[in-house]
Amino acid sequence: MAGTRPSGGGRQGEDPGDPGRGHGDRAGRESEPDYRFTLANERTFLAWIRTALALVAGAVAVLHLVPLDWSGPARLTVGLALTVLAVVITAYAPMRWLQVQRLMRRGAPLPLSALPVVTTVGVALVCGAVLVGNFWG
């Protein structure tokens, strides 16, 4: 049939258009992953870096720009919490990017990341502190 790829025969990764490229062989050797997966991994890394930058911008806003009627310690706590979360993301994102690249080269399954949960909990706590600070502070 026109437009279909033959099935069977040949080893995985021989066809340059095969999305399965990049899986290591049974001897544990590494091979180049499909470029689409590499680029998707890079986009994920850059998204985490953008998230960290947004958190830093939020910290600067809380500490210096937004006219809040909060005491100094409350403002400092929220600003530092945002900054610490940004630092954690910035430190973890390149390690995660590298880990995923290595695992894709080996054809190994990708482990779950704790970063989305850490970020969600951190942002939720900061939001709670902002709400408490605005209504009861």
Side-chain angles (χ1 to χ4, degrees):
M1 276 190 252
T4 60
R5 230 184 289 183
S7 62
R11 290 186 348 219
Q12 184 176 9
E14 283 184 356
D15 179 5
D18 180 11
R21 283 177 52 211
H23 296 295
D25 60 15
R26 292 192 176 150
R29 290 182 292 246
E30 294 182 1
S31 61
E32 188 66 27
D34 186 297
Y35 68 90
R36 293 172 288 185
F37 300 134
T38 298
L39 293 173
N41 189 30
E42 183 178 331
R43 283 191 304 272
T44 302
F45 165 75
L46 293 172
W48 282 115
I49 296 301
R50 284 191 305 272
T51 301
L53 284 170
L55 291 169
V56 169
V60 169
V62 166
L63 292 172
H64 301 290
L65 302 175
V66 179
L68 298 172
D69 292 330
W70 291 358
S71 67
R75 187 182 287 219
L76 185 62
T77 301
V78 170
L80 285 178
L82 289 168
T83 304
V84 167
L85 190 54
V87 168
V88 167
I89 291 170
T90 302
Y92 184 78
M95 292 187 301
R96 174 69 180 177
W97 173 82
L98 189 58
Q99 176 190 33
V100 168
Q101 278 303 113
R102 286 180 179 156
L103 291 173
M104 285 192 308
R105 288 177 185 278
R106 294 180 191 142
L110 302 178
L112 292 176
S113 173
L115 196 54
V117 174
V118 169
T119 304
T120 301
V121 169
V123 169
L125 290 174
V126 168
C127 289
V130 169
L131 285 173
V132 168
N134 279 331
F135 292 113
W136 292 285

